[in-house]
């Protein structure tokens, strides 16, 4: 799950039901962030980041995370 405070415009994210998409807007609200996402299927959704359990879909992020954990 992504840290909702670090999600920004242009990030590629993955949702378990809607698939992959690009963040087009963020709005921090209390202990969560409302994230507007344009999904690859053409749908645009506004989701609460914490409740939605968004994951990072950027392959370069995943590679660096895997290299970091294998180096520890």
């Amino acid at each position: 799950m992504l840290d909702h405070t670090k999600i920004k415009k242009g990030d590629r994210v993955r949702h378990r039901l809607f698939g992959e998409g690009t963040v087009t807007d963020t709005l921090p609200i209390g202990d969560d962030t409302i994230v507007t996402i344009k999904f690859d299927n053409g749908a645009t959704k506004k989701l609460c980041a914490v409740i939605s359990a968004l994951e990072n879909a950027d392959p370069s992020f995943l590679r660096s995370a895997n290299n970091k954990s294998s180096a520890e």
Side-chain angles (χ1 to χ4, degrees):
M1 184 167 75
L2 287 175
D3 177 351
H4 73 93
T5 63
K6 300 197 186 311
I7 299 173
K8 61 188 181 315
K9 240 175 156 179
D11 283 354
R12 292 284 298 164
V13 295
R14 181 179 300 113
H15 184 273
R16 62 185 172 82
L17 294 176
F18 303 123
E20 293 186 10
T22 303
V23 175
T24 60
D25 197 18
T26 61
L27 177 63
I29 296 184
D31 291 336
D32 205 342
T33 300
I34 303 298
V35 183
T36 305
I37 304 166
K38 172 122 174 122
F39 288 96
D40 294 350
N41 66 7
T44 299
K45 305 273 185 193
K46 288 188 179 197
L47 305 171
C48 294
V50 172
I51 294 169
S52 300
L54 295 171
E55 298 176 359
N56 194 313
D58 180 5
S60 64
F61 173 83
L62 296 174
R63 276 194 298 276
S64 70
N66 286 339
N67 290 340
K68 184 184 246 183
S69 65
S70 63
E72 294 173 354

